[in-house]
Amino acid sequence: QVQLMESGGGSVQTGESLRLSCVISGDIYSSYCMAWFRQGPNNKRDGIARIRTGDGRPFYMESVKGRFTISLDHAKNTLFLQMDNLKPGDTNMYYCAASTVSSCTDYNSWGQGTQVTVSS
């Protein structure tokens, strides 16, 4: 398992941008996927973007598609989430996670989270 540490959260106005970072300690290729989650209804964490470590293929939840970009810098062992055109509804705690399952449906390594607050 890898260890994950997020940073980059903060408070911004509607329409502004933030870039979240997640430093990965360990073998990045021990995970099939890296992803960003945020807290959804009923305290369940919802995946908003994921990327396969092998081929870099991204996938986005509909609500962030076109505004958020996930990327993985193998040289720096860092996962990024570029968040543009932020809205108040994006206010949340954001977590990065790693999956050792090839289907990328089960995540077993988590960071501590970073808070994003968007005001109108």
Side-chain angles (χ1 to χ4, degrees):
Q1 281 188 337
V2 295
Q3 293 187 330
L4 307 173
M5 176 72 74
E6 305 96 332
S7 62
S11 297
V12 296
Q13 302 281 329
T14 298
E16 293 185 341
S17 299
L18 278 174
R19 188 174 80 155
L20 305 184
S21 300
C22 173
V23 175
I24 304 159
S25 298
D27 181 7
I28 196 171
Y29 289 107
S30 67
S31 302
Y32 283 96
C33 277
M34 301 295 303
W36 288 98
F37 285 74
R38 64 188 183 189
Q39 210 78 14
N42 302 319
N43 250 8
K44 178 180 171 292
R45 292 180 184 178
D46 293 329
I48 58 171
R50 70 169 186 257
I51 188 167
R52 297 189 70 89
T53 58
D55 60 16
R57 184 182 305 177
F59 176 82
Y60 299 95
M61 187 171 72
E62 200 61 38
S63 63
V64 305
K65 196 178 291 185
R67 299 189 300 123
F68 291 10
T69 303
I70 189 171
S71 61
L72 184 58
D73 187 327
H74 290 265
K76 296 181 179 178
N77 251 35
T78 302
L79 179 73
F80 296 102
L81 185 68
Q82 177 67 38
M83 304 188 295
D84 297 320
N85 191 21
L86 282 161
K87 304 175 181 180
D90 296 316
T91 294
N92 216 312
M93 185 72 81
Y94 286 73
Y95 301 88
C96 68
S99 174
T100 56
V101 175
S102 61
S103 61
C104 299
T105 54
D106 189 22
Y107 289 80
N108 47 13
S109 294
W110 294 85
Q112 84 292 346
T114 186
Q115 178 69 39
V116 171
T117 303
V118 185
S119 56
S120 56

